[in-house]
């Protein structure tokens, strides 16, 4: 029986207030409106960004809300004007979008869509500002335009990547945020040449995805920098060859790396959001050709300083957003890399839980255990 055009009642994990366990509730999900798609979510994973906005420290607390933005699912129905997707298509909803019409989307260099770029304060749909979720007639806020901690969700068509239907959604769901961010930062922005050296600052999931990018690129040395030595053993699976813990030295870690490499690394990728790590990542690259790429998101009042002579000595500092991937145009090809065994994803997924135990995923992340926990929506 088709559910197109009808309200769907389903389960969703609702965050009612900051820092409190999510509550599994029956919600009503309205049909998709113009340029919208309703998706049946099959697998979703927990990303640090979900925890950050659930905790809501230093953020605008917007509750009740359905979090979640790393996921894979199947299109249930489409709204008016949607021509590139149909019911049954396998898709990844993505926290940022690609309208394909704005100057950014028309540029080969940018993925920062004017219409659909990330907006953490937006709680409704772009079309009318309203939520498609409700409980007893009261709206429940959206998150990043995706809200994947629900059995069904409504997403703007520009935030939906149509992928190979044979790709296992329980694996490729992690490509809709963190893995693509780290991997793309290396392969699309740092662009190490075969045989070059790469330093990775921060060995969480995004940093290890950056290391995977360096491994796939043929880097000869991949140096992992982290304050937590328990991460070093796991990082070897991602191609990391050497480890540096800044706590082990009484001088700035950038000086340690310059000495280790006889002048500095060829490329560095910073995945922590720490100002000190950003400075170190820039100052540890080789003069003349070194490139440092910033991925980590800093606190809103942060600033850092470095001597301008570092730039005059032909070191390059770059930033990236979502690994410079355009969601609809580029992510399907990243899925194909996994299908062709050019990119490994299974090693990123360290835990799985049923939807009823979604709070366990939060507990694991808060305890710093594992990389990605995939949540199975169907029990």
């Amino acid at each position: 029986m088709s559910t197109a055009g009808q309200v769907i009642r389903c389960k969703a994990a609702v965050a009612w207030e900051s820092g409190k366990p999510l509550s599994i509730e029956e919600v009503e999900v309205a049909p998709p409106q113009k340029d919208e798609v309703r998706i049946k979510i099959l697998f979703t994973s927990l990303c640090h960004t979900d925890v950050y906005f659930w905790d809501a420290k230093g953020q605008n607390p917007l509750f009740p809300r359905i979090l979640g933005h790393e996921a894979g699912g199947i299109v249930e129905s489409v709204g008016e004007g949607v021509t590139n997707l149909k019911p049954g298509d396998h898709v990844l909803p993505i926290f940022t979008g690609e309208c394909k019409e704005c100057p950014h989307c028309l540029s080969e260099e940018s993925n920062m869509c004017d219409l659909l770029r990330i907006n953490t304060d937006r709680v409704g749909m772009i079309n009318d500002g309203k939520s498609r979720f409700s409980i007893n007639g009261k709206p429940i806020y959206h998150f990043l335009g995706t809200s994947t901690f629900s059995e069904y969700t409504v997403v703007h068509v520009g935030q939906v990547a149509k992928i190979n239907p044979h790709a296992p959604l329980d694996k490729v769901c992690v490509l809709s945020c963190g893995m693509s961010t780290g991997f793309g930062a290396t392969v699309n922005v740092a662009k190490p040449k075969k045989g070059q050296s790469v330093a990775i600052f921060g060995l969480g999931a995004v940093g290890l995805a950056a290391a995977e990018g360096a491994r796939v690129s043929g880097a000869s040395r991949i140096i992992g920098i982290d304050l937590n030595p328990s991460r070093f053993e796991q990082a070897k699976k991602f191609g990391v060859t050497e480890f540096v813990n800044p706590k082990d030295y009484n001088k700035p870690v950038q000086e340690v790396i310059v000495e280790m490499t006889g002048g500095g690394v060829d490329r560095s990728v910073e995945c922590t959001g720490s100002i000190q790590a950003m400075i170190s990542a820039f100052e540890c690259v080789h003069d003349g050709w070194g490139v440092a790429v910033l991925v980590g998101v800093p606190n809103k009042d942060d600033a850092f300083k470095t001597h301008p002579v570092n730039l005059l000595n032909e070191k390059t500092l770059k930033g990236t957003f979502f690994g410079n991937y355009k969601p609809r145009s580029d992510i399907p090809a990243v899925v194909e890399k996994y299908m062709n065994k050019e990119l490994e994803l299974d090693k990123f997924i360290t835990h799985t839980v049923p939807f009823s135990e979604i709070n366990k995923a939060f507990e694991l992340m808060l305890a710093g255990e594992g990389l990605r926990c995939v949540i199975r929506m169907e029990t």
Side-chain angles (χ1 to χ4, degrees), residues 172 256 361:
V172 298
V256 175

Side-chain angles (χ1 to χ4, degrees), residues 223-227 232 242-246 249 253 256-257 260:
I223 302 167
I225 299 99
D226 203 291
L227 296 168
F232 293 166
E242 299 157 74
F243 303 95
V244 175
N245 184 341
Y249 301 89
V253 72
V256 175
I257 294 166
M260 281 172 68

